[in-house]
């Protein structure tokens, strides 16, 4: 099965139209139709329902679409990695959570890019579980994760990045006037919490309460949609302070939660897996920057602490 045919199939699935797909692929419609028919014959199943000019995926087609996308992504990644061996270029693929670690990563990429301008970066925003799944599949090279996280099967480096737990509140809510939210007050509020089980367990641990005693109205993997729920008065969102500071909203206030628990971060990549030269170099670059007292990030942390004091 050729990658070219997989791309043909994916284009039709995207456009739901054979003629439009043929036009964008720069081939004739009869040629494209024959290629799809041959693909269906080789698989022994129909991939499309044909209704006049519209083509929709069958159940088998939906399953095949997911696998085809993964195959095409992996092949593209392999081609990037092979070309990367010819010199320090190519693409470093990164999955990153929403937190203060985004600022750290941006600083690292900026410094690295000034030294290696031909290396490009592909960024993917998600929660820790999604990022680890993509690490396992090989569709991202590096994961920047907040802890706690299961790292036993990965190589990892602890990062000099910390975050705090906070509560997001509508600006006109009476709670918005408070400078800190106590754990006792938190237990009485309708809450929107992160969806990852390991993070939920962490929250329950520092909140010192079972989930049956919390009023949980919703969960989230990323913060975006929760902001609308907060503004609508559905609940108050618990999140890492850096996740909100990266996308501030004038209608919402972030209030620190009265807990000593600090959110830490780690960089992870697959064990027993050959990384591209550019990815390996980027990992070593970050390790060096972490230990360099004069690095841009260390200077940033120093200035931040001086402002806070």
């Amino acid at each position: 099965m050729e990658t070219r045919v997989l791309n043909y199939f994916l284009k039709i699935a995207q456009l739901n139209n054979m003629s439009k797909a043929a036009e964008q692929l720069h081939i004739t419609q009869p040629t494209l139709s024959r290629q799809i028919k041959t693909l269906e014959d080789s698989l022994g199943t129909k991939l499309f329902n044909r209704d006049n000019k519209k083509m929709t995926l069958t159940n088998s087609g939906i399953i095949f679409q997911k696998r085809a996308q993964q195959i095409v992504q992996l092949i593209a990644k392999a081609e990037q990695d092979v070309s990367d061996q010819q010199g320090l270029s190519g693409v470093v693929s990164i999955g990153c959570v929403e937190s203060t670690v985004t600022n750290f990563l941006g600083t690292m990429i900026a410094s690295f890019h000034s030294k290696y301008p031909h290396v490009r970066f592909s960024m993917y925003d998600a929660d820790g579980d999604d990022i680890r799944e993509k690490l396992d599949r090989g569709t991202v090279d590096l994961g920047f994760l907040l802890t706690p996280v299961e790292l036993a099967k990965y190589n990892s480096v602890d990062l000099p990045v910390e975050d705090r737990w906070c509560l997001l509140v509508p600006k006109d809510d009476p709670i918005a006037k408070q400078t800190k939210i106590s754990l006792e007050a938190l237990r009485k509020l309708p809450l929107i919490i992160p969806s990852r089980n390991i993070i939920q367990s962490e929250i329950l641990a520092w909140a010192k309460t079972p989930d049956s005693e919390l009023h949980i109205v919703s969960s989230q993997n990323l913060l975006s949609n929760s902001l609308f729920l907060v503004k609508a008065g559905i609940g108050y969102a618990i999140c890492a302070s850096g996740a909100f500071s990266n996308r501030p909203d004038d209608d919402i206030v972030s209030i620190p939660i009265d807990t000593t628990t600090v959110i830490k971060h780690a960089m992870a990549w697959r064990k027993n897996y050959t990384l591209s030269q550019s990815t390996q170099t980027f990992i070593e670059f970050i390790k060096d920057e972490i230990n360099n007292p004069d690095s841009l990030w260390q200077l940033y942390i120093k200035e931040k602490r001086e402002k806070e004091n």
Side-chain angles (χ1 to χ4, degrees):
M1 188 179 301
E2 298 180 34
T3 308
R4 170 176 54 84
V5 178
L6 293 180
N7 283 317
Y8 290 171
F9 163 78
L10 291 172
K11 180 59 70 174
I12 298 173
Q14 176 190 356
L15 299 175
N16 298 123
N17 184 281
M18 181 76 74
S19 60
K20 290 181 180 179
E23 182 179 350
Q24 291 194 15
L25 292 167
H26 304 292
I27 61 175
T28 65
Q29 182 173 334
T31 298
L32 181 57
S33 182
R34 284 195 301 270
Q35 293 285 353
I36 297 303
K37 181 64 168 59
T38 300
L39 176 62
E40 290 178 324
D41 289 344
S42 68
L43 294 172
T45 185
K46 286 180 60 177
L47 298 175
F48 291 100
N49 294 311
R50 294 161 172 82
D51 181 14
N52 294 325
K53 295 182 178 181
K54 188 175 182 180
M55 299 182 66
T56 57
L57 291 170
T58 62
N59 289 336
S60 296
I62 292 171
I63 295 172
F64 188 72
Q65 180 188 36
K66 182 177 180 181
R67 300 305 181 197
Q69 288 170 336
Q70 293 173 357
I71 292 169
V72 170
Q73 289 173 358
L74 286 172
I75 291 175
K77 185 71 172 58
E79 291 173 346
Q80 291 170 356
D81 291 347
V82 169
S83 65
D84 192 14
Q85 301 307 310
Q86 309 306 316
L88 203 62
S89 59
V91 178
V92 179
S93 179
I94 294 173
C96 186
V97 297
E98 292 183 325
S99 75
T100 301
V101 79
T102 306
N103 300 332
F104 170 83
L105 180 57
T107 302
M108 293 299 103
I109 290 176
S111 298
F112 187 83
H113 184 69
S114 65
K115 190 174 183 180
Y116 303 105
H118 298 297
V119 175
R120 293 182 291 124
F121 290 84
S122 174
M123 305 297 297
Y124 179 78
D125 301 328
D127 66 15
D129 289 343
D130 194 2
I131 291 171
R132 289 192 302 120
E133 181 181 344
K134 288 191 175 296
L135 280 173
D136 294 343
R137 290 180 178 175
T139 52
V140 300
D141 301 314
L142 299 174
F144 286 76
L145 309 165
L146 58 80
T147 62
V149 64
E150 298 171 359
L151 291 172
K153 64 179 180 180
Y154 305 102
N155 296 308
S156 63
V157 173
D158 293 333
L159 301 175
V161 183
E162 293 184 350
D163 228 325
R164 299 283 178 175
W165 290 108
C166 70
L167 190 71
L168 302 186
V169 179
K171 68 175 183 180
D172 56 355
D173 191 293
I175 298 176
K177 299 178 181 179
Q178 298 184 26
T179 58
K180 189 175 291 187
I181 298 293
S182 69
L183 296 181
E184 182 179 358
L186 193 71
R187 298 186 192 106
K188 300 175 182 178
L189 299 173
L191 299 175
I192 303 165
I193 65 174
S195 59
R196 294 180 59 218
N197 290 333
I198 194 168
I199 297 297
Q200 289 184 9
S201 297
E202 173 81 355
I203 291 173
L204 293 174
W206 55 251
K208 301 176 183 178
T209 184
D211 60 354
S212 60
E213 295 182 12
L214 288 181
H215 183 194
I216 299 173
V217 296
S218 180
S219 62
Q220 64 185 25
N221 68 325
L222 295 177
L223 190 58
S224 303
N225 290 332
S226 293
L227 298 180
F228 294 100
L229 296 181
V230 172
K231 286 191 282 189
I234 304 299
Y236 304 88
I238 294 177
C239 70
S241 58
F244 180 69
S245 63
N246 287 340
R247 56 175 71 196
D249 189 307
D250 293 338
D251 295 322
I252 294 177
V253 175
S254 171
I255 305 175
I257 296 174
D258 190 11
T259 173
T260 58
T261 301
V262 175
I263 303 172
K264 296 184 180 297
H265 297 79
M267 175 179 67
W269 63 98
R270 291 171 67 185
K271 288 182 177 179
N272 305 316
Y273 182 77
T274 302
L275 296 169
S276 67
Q277 183 182 351
S278 58
T279 302
Q280 293 173 11
T281 304
F282 186 58
I283 291 172
E284 294 305 315
F285 178 84
I286 288 179
K287 289 180 180 178
D288 291 341
E289 288 292 285
I290 288 173
N291 297 316
N292 178 7
D294 297 322
S295 69
L296 287 177
W297 179 253
Q298 295 294 355
L299 293 175
Y300 169 81
I301 292 298
K302 182 179 179 180
E303 292 176 1
K304 184 178 178 181
R305 287 173 179 168
E306 289 176 349
K307 290 180 180 178
E308 291 175 349
N309 295 331

